[in-house]
């Protein structure tokens, strides 16, 4: 039994965009391993957020890993722009287009880590035949589009299934939506190792609270062994 490292990825969707640089520095100093960037197009999801310009703007502010979650369709035409902007991982949705394998190849061709996100209604089995082309699986535990939604309990079983599919491969298993100190332990036990947290970190937008909240999430999860 060895412990699986727990990594916390605050989602800047819940940051104060008027002070975005300060918000990023605060979560970086506060111990976040990964900066999660939610990109929405008002078409694949019913909300519009940010594009490559913001990724370029935050890239010089932090040396932490930038994890770009593309909730856009089509995704492929925009992969080079996010790669150039400084993304480390680029995640596309399995539901965003008919050619997932091509999207993953396009991400790796840019020299970036390739992620696939699956919506609550999408089975883990869609990943079976592209598992060798994936660096990260993102299990959506809310319907994508907004921060601050409640965790969908059925996601736990999907995390277990995704962990089983991953087997011994070096693939990150990320969970996104409604992650709190109350449920993070169960999620870690199910096999997740990368935890997106929007509201749980940024609620109130007081940078002096972020380090404590990130530590609280990590502590709540990290008693887990695998
Ligand atoms: C939802 C986004 C999430 C969201 C998480 O579409 O993908 O990353 O910001 O926010 P919380 O943690 O508040 O559910
Ligand atoms: Zn996200």
């Amino acid at each position: 039994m060895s412990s699986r490292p727990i990594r916390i990825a605050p989602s800047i969707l819940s940051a104060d965009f008027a002070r975005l640089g300060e918000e990023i520095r605060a979560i970086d100093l506060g111990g976040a391993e990964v900066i999660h960037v939610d990109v929405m197009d008002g078409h694949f999801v019913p909300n519009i957020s940010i594009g490559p310009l913001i990724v370029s703007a935050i890239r010089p502010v932090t040396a932490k890993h930038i994890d770009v979650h593309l909730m856009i369709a089509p995704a492929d035409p925009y992969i080079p722009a996010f790669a150039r902007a400084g993304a480390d991982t680029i995640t596309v949705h399995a539901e965003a287009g008919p050619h997932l394998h091509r999207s993953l190849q396009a991400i790796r061709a840019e020299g970036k880590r390739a992620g696939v996100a699956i919506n609550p209604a999408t089975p883990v089995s869609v990943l079976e035949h592209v598992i060798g082309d994936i660096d990260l699986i993102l299990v959506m535990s809310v319907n994508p589009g907004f921060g601050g939604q409640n965790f969908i309990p059925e996601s736990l079983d999907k995390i277990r299934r995704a962990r089983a599919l991953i087997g011994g491969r070096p693939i990150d298993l990320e969970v996104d939506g409604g992650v709190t100190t109350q449920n993070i332990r169960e999620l870690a036990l199910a096999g997740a190792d990368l935890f997106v947290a929007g509201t749980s970190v940024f609620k109130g937008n007081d940078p002096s609270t972020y380090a404590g909240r990130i530590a609280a999430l990590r502590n709540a999860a990290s008693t887990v062994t695998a």
Side-chain angles (χ1 to χ4, degrees), residues 87-106:
D88 295 298
T89 298
I90 299 176
T91 296
V92 295
H93 266 262
E95 308 85 1
H99 302 295
L100 179 58
H101 183 264
R102 178 178 290 151
S103 302
L104 295 169
Q105 285 186 315

Side-chain angles (χ1 to χ4, degrees), residues 168-189:
R169 299 177 180 88
I171 295 176
D172 297 333
L173 181 48
E174 182 172 32
V175 56
D176 184 359
V179 174
T180 67
T181 52
Q182 303 303 306
N183 61 21
I184 195 168
R185 178 176 161 76
E186 211 175 0
L187 295 169
L189 282 168

Side-chain angles (χ1 to χ4, degrees), residues 11 13 36-40 69 71 138 140 174 176-177 196:
S11 163
L13 189 64
H36 186 82
V37 179
D38 286 307
V39 177
M40 304 176 180
H69 177 192
M71 288 163 274
L138 191 169
M140 284 305 306
E174 182 172 32
D176 184 359
V196 177

Side-chain angles (χ1 to χ4, degrees), residues 94-190:
E95 308 85 1
H99 302 295
L100 179 58
H101 183 264
R102 178 178 290 151
S103 302
L104 295 169
Q105 285 186 315
I107 297 167
R108 284 189 164 175
E110 295 287 342
K112 304 301 180 181
R113 299 177 73 259
V116 182
I118 52 173
N119 280 335
T122 301
V124 170
S125 58
V126 300
L127 305 172
E128 277 173 17
H129 301 288
V130 289
I131 194 71
D133 302 288
I134 294 178
D135 300 299
L136 176 147
I137 294 174
L138 191 169
V139 173
M140 284 305 306
S141 43
V142 297
N143 288 299
F146 302 94
Q149 302 181 78
N150 290 334
F151 179 82
I152 297 172
E154 286 76 10
S155 313
L156 266 173
D157 182 53
K158 290 177 69 178
I159 293 166
R160 282 186 206 105
R161 288 171 191 251
R163 178 51 66 190
L165 176 62
I166 288 170
R169 299 177 180 88
I171 295 176
D172 297 333
L173 181 48
E174 182 172 32
V175 56
D176 184 359
V179 174
T180 67
T181 52
Q182 303 303 306
N183 61 21
I184 195 168
R185 178 176 161 76
E186 211 175 0
L187 295 169
L189 282 168

